[in-house]
Amino acid sequence: MIPTPTPRAILLTRVLIVPEHRLPSCHAIIVSTDDAWRDTLCQRLVELEARGGEEHPCCELSISALATPDLLLEQARADGALQCVVLDAASLTDVTAIVTRLHRVRSEVDVFIAVSPGQAPADDNAELIDRDDTRAEILLRRLRRAIAKRASTPFADTLREYIDGARDAWHTPGHSSGDGLRESPWVADFYRMMGEHVFNADLSVSVQELDSLLEPSHVIHAAQDLAADAFGAKHTFFVTNGTSMANKVIVQHVLGNSGKMLVDQACHKSVHHAAIMSGADPVYLPASVNETFGLYGPVSKKTIYDAIAAHPDARLLVLTSCSYDGFYYDLEPIIRRAHAAGIKVLVDEAWYAHGYFHPDLRPCALECGADYVTQSTHKMLSAFSQASMIHVADPQFDESRFREHLNMHTSTSPHYGLIASLDVARKQMSMEGFTRLERCITHARELRRGISQTERFRVLELEDMLPDSLKDDGVRLDPTKLTIDVSRAGCSARALQKALYEKHSIQVEKITHNTLSVLVTLGTTQSKVLRLLNALRSLAREIPEKPLRLQPPSVLPAIGDIVARPREAYFGPSEDLPLSDEAHGINSGLIGRTSADQVVPYPPGIPVLVPGQRISEDVLDYLLDLYHGDSGIELHGLMRHEGRAMLRVTGNTDDEHSVTASTD
Ligand SMILES: Cc1ncc(COP(=O)(O)O)c(C=O)c1O
């Protein structure tokens, strides 16, 4: 017999079954000093909006009026729901300047300029409306249409509709919407763990409604165009193998199969791989270093300017902004200098896809004139891992050549879930990026304050982190990346990382010998902030009073002489030689030889050897120390042969230390 529900149970059931569905709130503002025009129009729009009538509204729209541009700018800083602005060109002076000022604060806000006949300010960033014949019905539709356009996700919507259609799959992938796993006694648990839509959304390129990432013509094309508008690019391309792929595509596109590029030594390894693949001649610019905390920072302006002057034949400059630790360059003068010398600029913004959506984080690379920008949308925004974007502003951009380079690195079976997540991440930033980032900055502020109050831990400020050589370079720090100094804590950063994980279920982003780094992202919640603060307070109480003397790791030796092109060194004849001799000292037979591989201590993830580099005694000492030490630093690019660490070097000699000889 079914038990009679109690009144409380009935109430709960009702609440669960009929959830309140609230549309997001949006706000439009009319700005004019002409009180009568402004208030009449505003009143009329409010009445029309109250009447409703739109069949599928995407938001609840409130409308208000302001008398001056300054009030508008104040409102733009305070009101995340602000989505549209109507400016009265007849009563305001220099509306184009007002649009520029507004977009410097909130780039995404749609602007309408009400003009009288014969008075049409040229502004590509605004839509014109007729001031003297403004039918409120039409204006309201236009406001709503502008919001709906940014709130649309052409690709993700089509994917959802396709899934809702429940078509039978006679195509790849072989799991066929999960049917291949669902009933299996062996693997159905994986299906249940992932959830049905992970499989439903994993579709074949044979589904034509979903467009082609390799030759986009409809929904992916539309989604990329919306992304270009949102991120301030001329063209945007979705990438499904991360910024690692994006960087290779750009280097190949700009340099072809040869050419000189100026690169930050600390740039991501994908750029070093790109140098091998494209046959580039890299000129390495030494990264700055803060020895106290083991942090590697930007290249100094002077070093960049000197390199630009010394290499008039360079064709590409590659910089990382912001870095993993949050340093971002004063890019505008650097890019101007590079352009004056005819050098294109690629800025790796893998860690900075959020920057354009908050005034405190701008200007970003595109605003500073970069030709190419690569962003890991998945790192700080809501896209799935591997989902990245390439933004282009190069005035000489040849799209059809670029398409070939892009497709050369793109799978012919890209994951539609990744593409949909890029579409949705763009929508989120366009509609609520500012509000979300305000929250991130508030969380970061609370963490800074709370962590410093533990009196054992302290969040570093820019002045603490920046090497002295860069103090006047206009470098800034992304406030969402927190580097916590643990040198007064009485135990190593590694021990703290372990304690946070094992005792408090908290996983941090990375460590150096005396710092822990955490990222505040769109997914950071107040409860996560509180748990981290509680965990650090509790560790501060538990750990010994007496601070330990932590030995900083030795500074990375600068990349020395480059004697061969990375591609030739990497693909040419080579042999593997042991790093150490029988007495565990360095193998002197390696000194003066040329590295065939990239060797990267991780962290910090910056190469000490690149293909084509002459091997010095300093580098060997450094590598051997790390190899025999217990710093926990991994050495990527070293090979192991019968328990011995080996380096691959170019050439093929009869040297007695040679163990194997391989010719690629
Ligand atoms: C500066 C930088 N560029 C590029 C990448 C590669 O990005 P992705 O993981 O999206 O391939 C990383 C990864 O950590 C990075 O730190």
Side-chain angles (χ1 to χ4, degrees), residues 372-423:
Y372 298 92
V373 171
T374 51
Q375 290 177 342
S376 295
T377 322
H378 64 94
K379 284 198 198 299
M380 301 291 290
L381 311 185
S382 301
F384 286 136
S385 291
Q386 288 186 218
S388 284
M389 293 190 199
I390 293 175
H391 303 298
V392 179
D394 181 356
Q396 278 89 40
F397 183 57
D398 176 347
E399 188 166 352
S400 46
R401 285 297 298 144
F402 177 83
R403 166 65 52 204
E404 210 38 45
H405 296 302
L406 181 64
N407 287 358
M408 202 177 283
H409 294 265
T410 303
S411 164
T412 47
S413 317
H415 195 290
Y416 282 128
L418 299 191
I419 301 171
S421 78
L422 284 168
D423 201 12

Side-chain angles (χ1 to χ4, degrees), residues 241-245 247 266-271 320 322-324 348-351 374-379 386-388 602:
N241 197 21
T243 300
S244 305
M245 166 182 148
N247 286 339
C267 66
H268 187 250
K269 61 184 180 184
S270 52
V271 179
T320 308
C322 71
S323 67
Y324 202 4
D348 178 337
E349 281 191 344
W351 290 101
T374 51
Q375 290 177 342
S376 295
T377 322
H378 64 94
K379 284 198 198 299
Q386 288 186 218
S388 284
Y602 197 93

Side-chain angles (χ1 to χ4, degrees), residues 281-342:
D281 274 320
V283 175
Y284 296 100
L285 312 177
S288 57
V289 57
N290 176 325
E291 294 185 27
T292 314
F293 297 107
L295 302 172
Y296 287 82
V299 181
S300 74
K301 263 186 187 159
K302 179 176 181 326
T303 307
I304 300 174
Y305 292 165
D306 287 351
I308 291 172
H311 299 279
D313 52 340
R315 286 165 51 206
L316 179 64
L317 167 67
V318 186
L319 296 174
T320 308
S321 186
C322 71
S323 67
Y324 202 4
D325 299 302
F327 293 118
Y328 62 102
Y329 283 90
D330 172 23
L331 280 172
E332 203 269 336
I334 298 174
I335 294 175
R336 207 172 346 107
R337 192 73 78 105
H339 283 172

Side-chain angles (χ1 to χ4, degrees), residues 85-153:
V85 169
V86 180
L87 297 175
D88 174 19
S91 73
L92 301 167
T93 352
D94 198 357
V95 277
T96 312
I98 301 171
V99 178
T100 308
R101 283 168 70 202
L102 172 66
H103 280 162
R104 241 182 250 144
V105 181
R106 296 280 302 281
S107 58
E108 74 282 13
V109 168
D110 286 301
V111 179
F112 296 81
I113 303 181
V115 289
S116 302
Q119 175 218 18
D123 196 318
D124 294 343
N125 300 310
E127 199 174 310
L128 299 185
I129 56 172
D130 183 349
R131 183 183 196 270
D132 302 332
D133 185 22
T134 312
R135 281 184 52 216
E137 291 81 351
I138 306 287
L139 177 57
L140 185 61
R141 254 184 259 154
R142 285 202 185 179
L143 296 177
R144 282 200 153 279
R145 189 190 58 196
I147 296 172
K149 183 174 175 207
R150 279 193 288 121
S152 70
T153 43

